[in-house]
Amino acid sequence: MRLVVAIPTLGRSEQLTRLLAHLERQSRLPDQVIIAAPDATHVGSVQSARFPVSVIFGKKGLTTQRNNVLEHVARRFDIVTFFDDDFVPADDYLERVEASFAAHDDWVVVMGDVILDGARNAGVTWEDAMDALDRAKAEPCVVTRIANHVGAYGCNMSIREASIGTLRFDERLVLYGWQEDIDFTSQLRKKGRVVGVSSIVGIHLGIKTGRISGVRFGYSQIVNPVYLIRKGSVPASFALPLMLRNIAANIVRSMRPEPYIDRRGRLWGNLLAMSHLVIGRIQPEYILEI
C-alpha cells in the first residue's frame, strides 16, 4: 500500500519541523508527506532525508487546507493519514495503520488512541509526550480493542483513499473547523467502518497558538453541530449531547476559568449562537464577521 501523511498547519513552523524529524523514526516510513499551509511564513525547514516532503499553499482554513491535500493526492495513494501539526505518533503508528487496512477490507477510517491529549488541559510538552510514548512502548497493549465511531478525531485519522471519491471537507466550517473531522468521516460510514484501534497510539500536544478566539469558538460549538444535524451528516444523538456538554462546561467554568481557555468568551459565543438559532440563522461562516 502507498501511504501519504498530510499535515495542515498554521503558525507553528517550529513544531512542524520537529514533527517531520520525529516521523523519520517510523518503522514504516510514509511514501510522502504533504504539508498544507496558507503561505511560506507558516513553514520552517521541511526537509527530510528519509521520505519526500511537498508543500502546498492555499487559502487559510482547516477544511480548505485538508481539501487541497485531497485534490493533490487523489488516486495516487491507498491511505491518507491526517496528522495535526501538534500530534506525536508512536514509532510504529504508520506500520499498524497499514496492517489494519490490509487486514480489514471493510474499514474505511482508522484512528489511533490518543493516550495523552493536551487539548483537554493546558497542553503537553514535547518532553512529556516522549516520556508517555516510551512508557506505552514498555507496556504494550496486550489486547487490541476495536471500537466503532460516528466519526474520527481529526488530530490523527487515516482514510482509505478509494472510499473518498468526490467527498470533500465542508468549507462552510471555516477557520478552525470544529467538527469538520466528524462531518467528513461520518459520511464515509456508508462505505464501511470508522474504527478506533487501541494499539495505534499517539500524543496530542494541544498547542494553544494558532487557535481562534474564544467568542468565535463558542459560536462554532453551538452552530456547527446544529448545521451538521440539518445537513444529515451527523446524528443528533451525537451532536446534541456534545453541544450541551460544551454549554454546561462554559457556564460552570466561566466562574473560575482556566488560564489557558477563554471560557467567558466561549460562553458569550454560545449565547450569540443560540440567539441566532432562535431566528433561524444557521451559518457556521458567521464567525468571520465576529
Side-chain angles (χ1 to χ4, degrees):
M1 289 184 168
R2 286 184 53 78
L3 185 152
V4 60
V5 169
I7 308 173
T9 191
L10 178 73
R12 297 175 181 170
S13 58
E14 183 177 341
Q15 167 61 24
L16 180 62
T17 300
R18 204 169 197 178
L19 174 57
L20 283 176
H22 178 75
L23 289 177
E24 293 196 353
R25 298 171 33 162
Q26 287 292 306
S27 55
R28 191 278 189 223
L29 292 171
D31 295 295
Q32 187 173 3
V33 170
I34 298 177
I35 297 162
D39 56 60
T41 63
H42 298 270
V43 181
S45 175
V46 293
Q47 297 178 353
S48 171
R50 305 198 65 197
F51 46 77
V53 179
S54 300
V55 182
I56 54 177
F57 298 126
K59 183 180 175 183
K60 181 173 73 173
L62 186 54
T63 53
T64 301
Q65 289 171 240
R66 291 195 193 278
N67 284 340
N68 288 343
V69 170
L70 292 182
E71 294 294 337
H72 192 75
V73 305
R75 295 175 295 280
R76 295 172 48 213
F77 296 90
D78 301 296
I79 301 169
V80 182
T81 295
F82 281 102
F83 285 152
D84 278 5
D85 54 15
D86 61 346
F87 182 77
V88 186
D91 292 344
D92 61 355
Y93 187 102
L94 297 180
E95 179 183 354
R96 290 182 178 274
V97 163
E98 182 179 43
S100 295
F101 281 113
H104 303 278
D105 291 341
D106 62 329
W107 289 9
V108 294
V109 180
V110 172
M111 66 175 174
D113 184 10
V114 180
I115 58 176
L116 201 58
D117 192 353
R120 302 179 183 276
N121 51 45
V124 177
T125 67
W126 187 273
E127 292 70 26
D128 286 343
M130 292 298 101
D131 288 343
L133 290 176
D134 287 342
R135 290 194 299 271
K137 186 175 182 179
E139 301 174 2
C141 180
V142 177
V143 178
T144 298
R145 298 181 304 278
I146 310 298
N148 291 314
H149 289 268
V150 169
Y153 189 8
C155 73
N156 82 116
M157 59 183 182
S158 298
I159 305 166
R160 194 183 295 275
E161 202 279 335
S163 70
I164 297 174
T166 60
L167 182 64
R168 294 293 182 266
F169 289 88
D170 190 336
E171 295 189 14
R172 291 191 66 185
L173 305 177
V174 295
L175 299 181
Y176 184 60
W178 184 243
Q179 300 302 301
E180 97 297 335
D181 45 5
I182 300 295
D183 170 49
F184 182 84
T185 54
S186 180
Q187 294 178 75
L188 291 173
R189 288 185 296 143
K190 300 172 185 177
K191 304 286 186 67
R193 294 174 65 186
V194 176
V195 302
V197 182
S198 64
S199 59
I200 303 173
V201 301
I203 311 295
H204 188 204
L205 300 181
I207 295 174
K208 306 310 178 192
T209 60
R211 301 276 178 164
I212 64 174
S213 75
V215 177
R216 283 176 163 179
F217 191 72
Y219 190 90
S220 296
Q221 285 182 317
I222 304 302
V223 167
N224 287 17
V226 174
Y227 168 73
L228 296 179
I229 292 171
R230 290 191 60 178
K231 179 180 173 180
S233 61
V234 176
S237 59
F238 174 88
L240 290 179
L242 172 68
M243 183 172 68
L244 294 174
R245 285 195 301 271
N246 287 326
I247 295 172
N250 292 335
I251 291 173
V252 172
R253 294 177 184 172
S254 64
M255 301 174 190
R256 296 183 64 184
E258 308 94 322
Y260 50 87
I261 296 179
D262 180 11
R263 287 290 179 186
R264 291 167 184 167
R266 289 187 181 187
L267 181 57
W268 174 247
N270 291 166
L271 296 173
L272 177 61
M274 286 188 284
S275 72
H276 282 188
L277 294 182
V278 168
I279 62 174
R281 184 175 190 173
I282 304 174
Q283 295 177 315
E285 57 269 64
Y286 178 77
I287 63 171
L288 296 174
E289 301 179 31
I290 297 176

